Amino acid sequence: MGNTKKHRQPQRKSSGWLPAAAVVLAAAVAVTVFTRAGDSGRESASGSAAAESQTVSEGGSLVIPLSELSAAARFYPVEVDGTEMEIIAVEDAAGSIRTAFNTCQVCYSSGRGYYVQDGGDLVCQNCGNHFTVDQVEIESGGCNPWPIFPENKTVTDESISISYDYLHEATQIFANWKAVS
């Protein structure tokens, strides 16, 4: 048996960059989660400012405070009889308040027939058509947001109310809303 020398592999010295990167990453995630959790003007799945979800039962109404509205569309999630829906409310260039269901009158059954705001336009996520906020609640029929006309809501100096009965009638247009294909 020969003289065998054991060769030791030199141990690597830890540069410390991996633990430091992990700490930085963890801090960034924590800041993001904390900021999102405390942000009352959070974004909806539609990409714009969203209000807290409301459940409207028989005899009740969805109430939208006028003080929350501006040229940036607000999306109001609401649940009616187990159906998730969303209402768009926005102030047009002349200061009039416009409302519509956040679903396209043509594309609603696709599961992607809902709108996100891109600048001053609302964009259908199925067909890509653009509509200015000034067009909301004006047109009925065709590929545009499903309007909620004045006769279907109550407007006061402080709020807009949309009744359970009217919301309940619209649940069918949300049956496949935002469905994953």
Side-chain angles (χ1 to χ4, degrees), residues 53-122:
S53 183
Q54 296 181 44
T55 299
V56 177
S57 303
E58 193 167 355
S61 294
L62 171 67
V63 178
I64 300 171
L66 293 179
S67 62
E68 294 181 355
L69 303 182
S70 69
R74 288 279 301 215
F75 295 83
Y76 290 86
V78 60
E79 183 179 316
V80 177
D81 298 333
T83 300
E84 292 182 16
M85 308 165 72
E86 205 167 63
I87 307 302
I88 301 169
V90 65
E91 185 176 334
D92 72 12
S96 297
I97 302 302
R98 309 231 184 229
T99 55
F101 290 108
N102 187 13
T103 191
C104 177
Q105 293 182 71
V106 171
C107 303
Y108 71 93
S109 64
S110 72
R112 293 192 43 80
Y114 59 90
Y115 294 86
V116 297
Q117 189 165 17
D118 182 15
D121 288 353
L122 293 170

Side-chain angles (χ1 to χ4, degrees):
M1 313 226 190
N3 191 359
T4 59
K5 269 189 171 177
K6 290 185 180 179
H7 293 288
R8 285 177 78 182
Q9 293 289 334
Q11 284 189 335
R12 287 194 211 174
K13 290 186 178 181
S14 174
S15 64
W17 71 267
L18 187 58
V23 169
V24 169
L25 180 61
V29 169
V31 167
T32 301
V33 168
F34 178 76
T35 302
R36 286 280 182 171
D39 185 6
S40 62
R42 75 189 196 299
E43 289 188 0
S44 73
S46 303
S48 295
E52 292 298 317
S53 183
Q54 296 181 44
T55 299
V56 177
S57 303
E58 193 167 355
S61 294
L62 171 67
V63 178
I64 300 171
L66 293 179
S67 62
E68 294 181 355
L69 303 182
S70 69
R74 288 279 301 215
F75 295 83
Y76 290 86
V78 60
E79 183 179 316
V80 177
D81 298 333
T83 300
E84 292 182 16
M85 308 165 72
E86 205 167 63
I87 307 302
I88 301 169
V90 65
E91 185 176 334
D92 72 12
S96 297
I97 302 302
R98 309 231 184 229
T99 55
F101 290 108
N102 187 13
T103 191
C104 177
Q105 293 182 71
V106 171
C107 303
Y108 71 93
S109 64
S110 72
R112 293 192 43 80
Y114 59 90
Y115 294 86
V116 297
Q117 189 165 17
D118 182 15
D121 288 353
L122 293 170
V123 183
C124 177
Q125 297 305 286
N126 188 60
C127 67
N129 282 343
H130 287 242
F131 303 91
T132 67
V133 296
D134 291 350
Q135 292 173 293
V136 172
E137 191 185 309
I138 298 297
E139 299 184 31
S140 180
C143 191
N144 51 57
W146 208 296
I148 301 173
F149 293 119
E151 61 268 19
N152 304 121
K153 61 187 173 187
T154 302
V155 180
T156 68
D157 290 340
E158 296 177 5
S159 66
I160 300 167
S161 296
I162 305 168
S163 73
Y164 162 85
D165 292 334
Y166 186 69
L167 293 169
H168 177 75
E169 289 176 23
T171 57
Q172 67 202 14
I173 63 175
F174 286 90
N176 196 37
W177 189 64
K178 293 188 180 180
V180 179
S181 325

